[in-house]
Amino acid sequence: MDDMQQKLIALLLISASSLIVLVVSSPEICTVSACYPNEPTIRFPFRLQSVQPKECGYPGFDLTCDSTILITSLQLQNVNASPPQRFSVQAIDYASQEIWLNDPGDCLPQRLLNLNLSGSPFTAVSHQDFTLFNCSIHHRLHNFNPIACLGGSGYNIVATSSERASRILASSCSVVSTIPVPVQLPYHEEVWSSDLSEDIRLTWDSPQCGKCESRGGRCGLKSNSTDHIECKTQHGNFFLIISLSVN
């Protein structure tokens, strides 16, 4: 290919109400980044707040790098007056549109007690209801795993999704709360006891970039738009851009 051909911009328009295909030479795409080695790769719909411009991400998907403990963090905004909760990002799967989170303070159960996803773009892939019990330190907790970070002087906190275990605990312990936990995998059986320390697994419905990612493409915001997305796939020195309507 000669120099003249390399500079040529080819336009291909497919007449359809919701699909436009555009082939251009080397458009700028927001740089893929990461906070630290071995931390999750960050790209659209996520962006590094205060580092990358707003057009590199989608509303509600801002991440930050915490230099004190070397993690990638995400704030989940609550709909009520309570402040947003900060979680450490453990992994992101862009093709399946899933993210795994934990508590940077090593007490995920405390976060779960106040977790409200209704103000965020994320929902649980699967959840299971767990009941937390406050038991006296003198209560013999056979086959129960106390949640160390919630316990205190004279008492333990245990969690179960088992009705039978709940009946046993209710006879000598008090109920703290019953909470829906975004579990990593759906349990086909009740869980007798859990310290609720495993990563929570969330997903997002919008923007819809899973198909683009699974085909090797990269999503991004359409130029001069705040909510319309396009799929960009590189072919040699050119990028194939498929602009998708969100209507």
Side-chain angles (χ1 to χ4, degrees), residues 100-171:
W100 286 260
L101 304 175
N102 212 304
D103 176 29
D106 294 324
C107 191
L108 184 59
Q110 181 66 61
R111 301 279 185 178
L112 295 174
L113 283 169
N114 301 296
L115 182 62
N116 185 342
L117 296 174
S118 58
S120 80
F122 304 99
T123 58
V125 175
S126 180
H127 76 268
Q128 187 161 0
D129 288 340
F130 280 82
T131 300
L132 279 68
F133 288 87
N134 183 322
C135 303
S136 167
I137 198 73
H138 304 295
H139 182 75
R140 301 184 66 182
L141 297 173
H142 292 297
N143 300 320
F144 289 101
N145 184 17
I147 301 173
C149 67
L150 291 184
S153 177
Y155 69 93
N156 287 312
I157 302 294
V158 295
T160 180
S161 70
S162 165
E163 291 185 5
R164 181 168 176 265
S166 292
R167 288 195 296 270
I168 293 173
L169 290 167
S171 64

Side-chain angles (χ1 to χ4, degrees), residues 168-191:
I168 293 173
L169 290 167
S171 64
S172 54
C173 304
S174 59
V175 174
V176 176
S177 181
T178 298
I179 56 175
V181 177
V183 293
Q184 290 201 43
L185 295 172
Y187 294 111
H188 299 293
E189 297 180 357
E190 295 179 332
V191 178

Side-chain angles (χ1 to χ4, degrees):
M1 179 180 294
D2 59 31
D3 185 62
M4 188 65 180
Q5 289 174 314
Q6 288 180 346
K7 294 180 179 178
L8 187 63
I9 298 178
L11 296 177
L12 173 62
L13 298 178
I14 297 179
S15 178
S17 60
S18 61
L19 177 65
I20 299 176
V21 177
L22 173 66
V23 182
V24 299
S25 60
S26 62
E28 186 65 30
I29 296 180
C30 290
T31 305
V32 175
S33 59
C35 283
Y36 308 102
N38 301 319
E39 282 291 292
T41 299
I42 301 169
R43 60 177 181 264
F44 190 88
F46 297 94
R47 75 170 181 113
L48 280 177
Q49 191 175 19
S50 302
V51 176
Q52 296 176 311
K54 288 185 177 181
E55 56 267 26
C56 285
Y58 202 76
F61 289 80
D62 291 345
L63 302 178
T64 56
C65 300
D66 189 324
S67 59
T68 58
I69 50 179
L70 303 181
I71 64 164
T72 307
S73 64
L74 168 70
Q75 284 194 339
L76 295 181
Q77 187 67 49
N78 291 326
V79 293
N80 50 31
S82 61
Q85 296 199 70
R86 187 171 69 100
F87 290 85
S88 58
V89 180
Q90 304 299 306
I92 303 173
D93 188 322
Y94 290 90
S96 64
Q97 301 197 171
E98 294 177 358
I99 185 170
W100 286 260
L101 304 175
N102 212 304
D103 176 29
D106 294 324
C107 191
L108 184 59
Q110 181 66 61
R111 301 279 185 178
L112 295 174
L113 283 169
N114 301 296
L115 182 62
N116 185 342
L117 296 174
S118 58
S120 80
F122 304 99
T123 58
V125 175
S126 180
H127 76 268
Q128 187 161 0
D129 288 340
F130 280 82
T131 300
L132 279 68
F133 288 87
N134 183 322
C135 303
S136 167
I137 198 73
H138 304 295
H139 182 75
R140 301 184 66 182
L141 297 173
H142 292 297
N143 300 320
F144 289 101
N145 184 17
I147 301 173
C149 67
L150 291 184
S153 177
Y155 69 93
N156 287 312
I157 302 294
V158 295
T160 180
S161 70
S162 165
E163 291 185 5
R164 181 168 176 265
S166 292
R167 288 195 296 270
I168 293 173
L169 290 167
S171 64
S172 54
C173 304
S174 59
V175 174
V176 176
S177 181
T178 298
I179 56 175
V181 177
V183 293
Q184 290 201 43
L185 295 172
Y187 294 111
H188 299 293
E189 297 180 357
E190 295 179 332
V191 178
W192 184 266
S193 179
S194 173
D195 64 2
L196 303 180
S197 62
E198 291 188 355
D199 298 342
I200 60 173
R201 178 185 173 205
L202 306 178
T203 187
W204 64 91
D205 293 327
S206 181
Q208 280 284 354
C209 290
K211 288 184 179 180
C212 175
E213 287 278 346
S214 64
R215 295 170 182 169
R218 294 291 180 265
C219 262
L221 284 175
K222 189 177 179 181
S223 180
N224 299 321
S225 175
T226 58
D227 57 1
H228 285 67
I229 61 171
E230 57 190 11
C231 180
K232 306 176 184 180
T233 305
Q234 186 169 5
H235 294 275
N237 294 327
F238 292 88
F239 288 87
L240 175 67
I241 303 177
I242 303 177
S243 180
L244 303 173
S245 171
V246 294
N247 293 334

